[in-house]
Amino acid sequence: MNRLLALFVSSLLLASCAGKTNTYELIPYPNELTPRSGSYAVAGAAFTCDERLDEASRAVVEEFASRLSEVSQAESTVAYVADPAIGEGFRFIVDETLDAERYRLDVASSGVTVRASSLPGFIYAVQTIKQLLPAAFFGGETDAATVWTLPCVEIDDAPRFAYRGLMLDVARHFFSKEEVEKIIDLMAFHKLNRLHWHLTDDQGWRIEIKRYPRLTEYGSIRKGTVVKKNWDQYDGVPYGGYYTQEEIREVVAYAAARGITVIPEIDLPGHMLAALACYPELGCTGGPYEVWGRWGVADDVLCVGKEQTFEFLENVLEEVMELFPSEYIHIGGDECPKVRWEKCPVCQAKIRELGIKGDEKHAAEYYLQSYVTARIEKFLNEHGRRIIGWDEILEGELAPNATVMSWRGSEGGIAAAKMGHDAIMTPTTHFYFDYYQSRDVENEPFGIGGYLPIEKVYSYEPVPDSLAQELGNHILGIQANLWTEYVLSPEHLEYMLLPRMAALSEVQWCDKGRREWDRFARALPRLVDLYTRMGYNYSPVVFGVHAAVNSNPEKQCVEVSLSTLGDAPIHYTLDGTDPTAESTLYTAPIEIREGCTLKAVAVRGEVRSRVLERVFADNKAMGRSVEMRTQPLEKYRFGAPATLVDGVESYMSYANGDWTGWFGDPMDVVIDMSGASYSEVCLGTLVSKGEDIFPPLTLVASTSDDGETFTEVGRIEIPMETAADPDTLKKYTVSFPETSARYLRVEAQTVNPIPEWHGARGKKGFLFVDEICVN
């Protein structure tokens, strides 16, 4: 951590601790905690343990005792006895009445008692104790002034959800065994218990399969990687890596010792180009195929009309099951285009053989994928395993015992629960940790897009009110996903995880109503100090200035509310200059009525946060009242209609909250321009054809004095996009004679259907709009 940031964190730590005793800055916070006064001196304390502790639990206790001896410079002995309750110091007692992940911790001035029934409970108790100790326990500088005590407290704790996961993608970019184990340590620190390991994809096969050696000899290496998002530019540098079976066994054992189960993912029947490049006979066309050097969704998938494809899958999965004792095997099932199956005579013959028919919901090829999922599930069930699949496995018919991982919002999980299936919530909106943590993307590591601040992670409620209690029990838990298309290094990996993993851990652990943002935020400064001491990189964005932009039609302005962690003084400018401690002090929402550049900074003594910058486009619609006559897709409504006239023009990330997305239906909005004269309207749009996002085909402006009868005053026709047109931000302007009509109607026609050259041809297209500027 650099010097200024270290000073900053230290100042926050002092502020949070001044004048307080027995504060419990614990993350995740226990579900039952009773404060007590006093403390217990731990230096040299003996460890008296129940002789019934299993070998793994003993290892946890002994590692803790050894570390405490090292940092406190006083020897702590460990003994195993029949009745540890009569011992002194730390007493670890096996209590078989407690559930596996529950623990009880009693810190009194006379000693510490830990009760649990098995390894997970003892692990979580020790993790809690560690967080209650001085920060020096985790590393860094220590001095003679450190007081090695624990605050007295009584805790009875267990997690809300049994499944508390993190998905790590090693297919797009590879991370060594040691790096994966470092992430496992981080998971254990936050009391997560499932590592979902995404081991195969179009861009690389990362797991050794002895029966198919080419999967790692050839399929683990791509010839080059696309440069950022320049789809036709590649770096020409071979890239690869894989885990031997021995390395995988070591990772699985390392995780198990920390209470974590590793769930492997073999993505099928799509995302299989790396395998097809090795064994082209498994594809519909026979190839040739290459390990993909770009991102996205490839049309080439496994040919599921061939029996040899299932022979291949079963042989691979047999070796996977030998390596992973997990009850669950993840089979992917996401983003599987059907274009090859539609033209493949073998797949079409299989459809006829099975008597598969399309219906009003899905074409026959979707039910062909359901056949694949059910067949693989049956195979795994016969071996005592269960499947998890991404929520696309709901399309067609869901396999009988499948668990659904809901990533395209919460809807998939809700649908699965209503069908009687278990689900794991992992929506892009709250748990895609490859999304940016800041809107200031120019100062962030390059990424896929999206905007996911830690506050939003923390805000998620996993069990929707729409589910009755008995159906809510089908929500097994929550998982965050870290895809690594643009994450190349361990430092970047940690930066994307931290401190958002802390918020994730409380959503997973804390009972409904137990989470409290202010309490959590007060604990963050100490937590990031621990990250630094443990040798992890983290994002400091949470300590910067945050801006909430809201349109205020009554005042016909945009109001900007500024905040920062710890309520430090915020200074700002509106002329584009960098703010200093002498700049205007923020005291109330800032009213903006014309174009400007807002910059703001939090000042904590000598330490200034990163400068927040917001550019507001000069336009007469800013802050006006807007009526939406057609509705955007609900999941892409975000702050609409207010965000359509808040003056903020966004960047290439449709899920960052600035954009409003219409799907199939045209955009039709009316702006109340009362009191203004104007002669043009400009529509800001995003084009990302790989995500089915197109520019409009027409843009029409109409005016009215009564809001009922409109007269068209301007129109432009926009050519259909071609495959060669670049994805980018595009503005379209309609000009017309100056008018002071009160109501301005703006209509934009979406692409429907998508053209034939596109992989989603014939389907509806998206139109994403960030701002409607009027001048």
Side-chain angles (χ1 to χ4, degrees), residues 495-521:
Y495 184 95
M496 302 308 285
L497 287 172
L498 302 175
R500 290 186 292 194
M501 187 186 281
L504 168 71
S505 73
E506 291 224 343
V507 177
Q508 295 171 330
W509 187 277
C510 295
D511 291 342
K512 189 173 184 179
R514 190 61 170 166
R515 279 180 282 148
E516 181 189 341
W517 170 257
D518 289 342
R519 183 263 309 154
F520 174 80

Side-chain angles (χ1 to χ4, degrees), residues 54 112 114 201 232 297 355 382 424 494-495 527 572 663 707 721:
D54 60 27
V112 179
V114 175
D201 217 298
D232 296 321
V297 180
E382 289 170 350
I424 298 158
E494 294 164 13
Y495 184 95
L527 187 72
Y572 71 92
F663 181 58
E721 286 277 298

Side-chain angles (χ1 to χ4, degrees), residues 4-267:
L4 286 179
L5 192 55
L7 286 171
F8 167 39
V9 171
S10 297
S11 67
L12 285 176
L13 287 170
L14 290 172
S16 67
C17 296
K20 297 181 180 180
T21 58
N22 282 12
T23 55
Y24 308 102
E25 295 180 317
L26 296 169
I27 295 176
Y29 201 71
N31 281 308
E32 289 188 28
L33 183 151
T34 304
R36 288 178 173 175
S37 59
S39 61
Y40 174 66
V42 299
F47 283 70
T48 307
C49 303
D50 197 320
E51 62 184 15
R52 293 176 295 167
L53 258 67
D54 60 27
E55 183 177 346
S57 299
R58 292 187 181 201
V60 170
V61 174
E62 290 169 9
E63 183 276 334
F64 171 52
S66 174
R67 176 62 181 166
L68 182 60
S69 299
E70 178 184 357
V71 295
S72 68
Q73 298 183 352
E75 180 88 20
S76 287
T77 59
V78 181
Y80 297 93
V81 300
D83 186 6
I86 62 174
E88 297 181 349
F90 288 91
R91 297 175 287 272
F92 284 81
I93 301 173
V94 174
D95 185 343
E96 295 176 344
T97 68
L98 300 179
D99 292 338
E101 292 194 306
R102 185 177 177 184
Y103 70 94
R104 288 177 176 163
L105 171 63
D106 187 347
V107 181
S109 57
S110 58
V112 179
T113 302
V114 175
R115 295 179 182 272
S117 65
S118 59
L119 175 65
F122 287 115
I123 288 174
Y124 303 146
V126 168
Q127 289 294 350
T128 298
I129 293 169
K130 289 178 179 179
Q131 283 198 43
L132 290 170
L133 285 169
F137 180 89
F138 292 89
E141 297 180 1
T142 58
D143 56 53
T146 300
V147 179
W148 289 99
T149 60
L150 277 172
C152 292
V153 68
E154 185 177 354
I155 293 173
D156 187 349
D157 197 18
R160 178 183 180 188
F161 292 101
Y163 188 107
R164 304 183 303 283
L166 173 72
M167 189 285 297
L168 177 60
D169 167 22
V170 295
R172 276 51 178 267
H173 281 97
F174 179 75
F175 295 89
S176 71
K177 177 180 80 75
E178 292 72 23
E179 291 161 352
V180 174
E181 289 175 347
K182 192 176 179 185
I183 298 304
I184 289 171
D185 287 337
L186 198 57
M187 293 175 63
F189 177 82
H190 290 92
K191 299 176 182 167
L192 277 65
N193 67 351
R194 297 289 188 277
L195 173 62
H196 169 182
W197 208 1
H198 187 81
L199 289 163
T200 69
D201 217 298
D202 295 320
Q203 297 81 12
W205 188 283
R206 307 294 179 213
I207 174 173
E208 180 187 25
I209 302 297
K210 294 187 181 297
R211 186 156 182 169
Y212 299 102
R214 281 183 60 78
L215 288 172
T216 44
E217 291 172 358
Y218 183 75
S220 67
I221 303 169
R222 55 180 180 259
K223 295 179 180 179
T225 304
V226 66
V227 177
K228 293 188 175 180
K229 297 180 182 179
N230 305 318
W231 302 121
D232 296 321
Q233 182 182 355
Y234 293 81
D235 60 16
V237 179
Y239 181 90
Y242 69 91
Y243 307 99
T244 66
Q245 291 198 355
E246 182 57 33
E247 287 176 320
I248 286 174
R249 290 189 180 93
E250 290 172 2
V251 169
V252 169
Y254 189 89
R258 288 151 182 81
I260 294 168
T261 300
V262 183
I263 298 174
E265 180 181 356
I266 306 298
D267 206 345

Side-chain angles (χ1 to χ4, degrees), residues 353-543:
E353 174 192 331
L354 297 170
I356 293 174
K357 303 291 184 183
D359 56 28
E360 66 279 2
K361 292 183 179 179
H362 301 292
E365 288 74 21
Y366 284 84
Y367 293 102
L368 181 62
Q369 182 169 347
S370 299
Y371 158 75
V372 176
T373 304
R375 181 166 170 175
I376 294 299
E377 181 188 55
K378 183 175 183 292
F379 172 76
L380 290 171
N381 289 168
E382 289 170 350
H383 288 76
R385 307 302 180 93
R386 300 176 63 190
I387 68 165
I388 299 177
W390 300 109
D391 58 44
E392 283 94 334
I393 66 174
L394 287 164
E395 298 169 354
E397 295 176 345
L398 186 56
N401 302 306
T403 295
V404 173
M405 193 163 273
S406 186
W407 71 279
R408 297 177 298 179
S410 299
E411 295 83 0
I414 295 170
K418 289 181 177 179
M419 295 167 64
H421 288 265
D422 291 338
I424 298 158
M425 295 302 205
T426 177
T428 59
T429 51
H430 292 77
F431 298 118
Y432 265 44
F433 281 8
D434 51 334
Y435 286 10
Y436 287 114
Q437 299 178 73
S438 169
R439 292 183 184 274
D440 183 17
V441 297
E442 291 183 359
N443 291 307
E444 289 290 289
F446 186 82
I448 197 168
Y451 173 53
L452 181 55
I454 188 172
E455 299 92 330
K456 188 163 187 180
V457 177
Y458 197 81
S459 70
Y460 186 71
E461 170 47 45
V463 182
D465 292 337
S466 60
L467 290 181
Q469 180 57 43
E470 61 272 18
L471 294 180
N473 292 335
H474 282 296
I475 306 300
L476 300 183
I478 306 96
Q479 176 173 290
N481 296 333
L482 183 47
W483 303 102
T484 60
E485 286 93 335
Y486 304 102
V487 180
L488 281 68
S489 68
E491 293 77 20
H492 190 182
L493 187 76
E494 294 164 13
Y495 184 95
M496 302 308 285
L497 287 172
L498 302 175
R500 290 186 292 194
M501 187 186 281
L504 168 71
S505 73
E506 291 224 343
V507 177
Q508 295 171 330
W509 187 277
C510 295
D511 291 342
K512 189 173 184 179
R514 190 61 170 166
R515 279 180 282 148
E516 181 189 341
W517 170 257
D518 289 342
R519 183 263 309 154
F520 174 80
R522 287 194 299 271
L524 278 177
R526 171 179 163 83
L527 187 72
V528 299
D529 180 42
L530 301 186
Y531 292 156
T532 301
R533 290 173 179 272
M534 291 188 289
Y536 291 101
N537 189 31
Y538 69 89
S539 168
V541 167
V542 66
F543 300 111

Side-chain angles (χ1 to χ4, degrees), residues 552-559 574 590-596 616-624:
N552 188 329
E554 292 184 4
K555 294 183 177 181
Q556 293 188 358
C557 72
V558 170
E559 292 183 333
L574 295 174
I590 304 163
E591 296 181 2
I592 295 177
R593 291 180 171 84
E594 58 186 21
C596 67
F616 293 87
D618 191 27
N619 87 92
K620 296 177 181 179
M622 191 182 296
R624 300 278 181 167

